[in-house]
Amino acid sequence: MRHQITGFSNPTIKRLKSLREKKLRKREGLFLAEGLRILTEALDSGRTPRMLVVVEDTELHPLARKIEAATVAAGGDVIETSEAIIAKLSGKSNPQSIIGIYQDHPVALQELDRTKADIWLVAQALRDPGNLGTILRTGDAVGAGGLILIDDCVDPFSVEAVRASMGAIFTQQIAQARWPEFESWLRSGPGELVGTSLNTEKDYQSVHYAAPTFLLIGNEAQGLPAEYEAACDTLVKMPMMGRADSLNAAVAASVMAYEVLNQSRQR
């Protein structure tokens, strides 16, 4: 059933706008996803919005009508509102005309089945939501098992990270852990930990990667702590032929993931 809301002071609008804040997202267990492509990806992955917000007096795309029908069938609400309010919810001056509100879906480390994929992405102290979203997208592209966030990373369910993931937030499992917990879990079963680092001469294409491979990417500014590098089975680096000494964290994750994928395809 549709409801029309036109006021910024409406309690529902205030509640949805609060989901832009990490603390309130955590409390509610909900997050915002914007745009027809991302919402379609969610539906194809079996995720239905708890609530749908659409621009009033707008003819919906057939895919949007399908999402609306699924939302209503699941007992969710559909809200018609103005473009100005949707802009406030999305944080963009030129928002898309549809926003979904979803239940977040973090997974406990112990729930991950490491045997289901040859590639797993691991990010330590990642700060940029665009990088995190892009790494999720890469994980989806290479068929990774999921993304494990180590220590204090940016929230994967922030509006910016969800947007950058282009729907991969719904296809990738996401677990969070402190380093000691992750290291203990990793060593309790099969898995090779490969870190990217400037502190090695080993070229990333010279290594044979054993499945499952856990690719460890460090903080954008500082890289991996020394003790984390020491815990890796292998450290590798990519050749830098110009003046730059390193790649962006998300780009490095993509290059590494595709190298591991290429090797697994040749087995």
Side-chain angles (χ1 to χ4, degrees):
M1 182 175 179
R2 284 196 177 208
H3 308 277
Q4 190 171 55
I5 298 177
T6 57
F8 286 93
S9 61
N10 181 276
T12 298
I13 297 301
K14 286 185 173 181
R15 178 186 174 220
L16 297 184
K17 187 172 181 293
S18 76
L19 296 179
R20 292 187 57 80
E21 300 178 32
K22 180 178 180 179
K23 180 174 70 174
L24 298 174
R25 277 197 304 275
K26 295 284 187 183
R27 187 178 73 188
E28 295 269 1
L30 300 172
F31 69 98
L32 301 172
E34 175 194 2
L36 184 58
R37 176 175 175 175
I38 292 179
L39 270 61
T40 299
E41 192 71 57
L43 192 63
D44 289 345
S45 302
R47 305 275 184 181
T48 304
R50 296 280 294 275
M51 186 180 294
L52 198 64
V53 185
V54 299
V55 174
E56 58 190 349
D57 301 324
T58 299
E59 180 66 27
L60 291 181
H61 188 280
L63 289 174
R65 290 200 296 270
K66 183 178 178 182
I67 296 166
E68 179 179 6
T71 303
V72 173
D77 292 323
V78 179
I79 295 172
E80 288 183 346
T81 192
S82 66
E83 286 187 12
I85 287 179
I86 283 197
K88 284 290 184 183
L89 298 182
S90 74
K92 293 174 63 180
S93 58
N94 58 336
Q96 299 197 47
S97 60
I98 185 169
I99 291 177
I101 292 82
Y102 292 86
Q103 187 78 41
D104 64 13
H105 48 274
V107 178
L109 197 60
Q110 293 71 24
E111 295 176 32
L112 296 178
D113 177 6
R114 70 180 74 201
T115 65
K116 75 176 242 182
D118 287 346
I119 306 170
W120 293 81
L121 297 171
V122 186
Q124 187 267 332
L126 211 62
R127 291 287 181 263
D128 184 86
N131 280 338
L132 195 153
T134 301
I135 289 173
L136 281 170
R137 191 176 179 187
T138 294
D140 177 84
V142 300
L147 172 64
I148 302 171
L149 301 174
I150 304 298
D151 300 335
D152 297 317
C153 286
V154 65
D155 184 6
F157 298 106
S158 70
V159 172
E160 296 80 8
V162 171
R163 184 181 295 139
S165 81
M166 293 300 292
I169 188 75
F170 298 105
T171 67
Q172 290 287 286
Q173 289 187 300
I174 303 171
Q176 295 179 283
R178 307 302 296 185
W179 176 257
E181 179 190 5
F182 168 71
E183 189 176 15
S184 174
W185 173 82
L186 178 70
R187 300 310 179 191
S188 69
E192 178 184 45
L193 184 61
V194 178
T196 55
S197 172
L198 298 178
N199 300 318
T200 181
E201 294 304 317
K202 194 173 292 185
D203 187 281
Y204 79 111
Q205 289 187 320
S206 70
V207 174
H208 173 75
Y209 298 104
T213 303
F214 291 82
L215 296 175
L216 178 59
I217 307 297
N219 172 268
E220 293 94 338
Q222 299 173 345
L224 293 170
E227 61 268 32
Y228 293 16
E229 289 190 351
C232 290
D233 298 299
T234 307
L235 291 177
V236 297
K237 71 176 182 181
M238 284 148 277
M240 297 287 113
M241 309 307 289
R243 297 184 60 128
D245 64 358
S246 64
L247 294 175
N248 166 277
V251 174
S254 297
V255 172
M256 288 297 306
Y258 269 97
E259 176 61 24
V260 177
L261 175 63
N262 285 339
Q263 289 194 16
S264 69
R265 292 170 67 193
Q266 293 169 13
R267 290 186 189 126

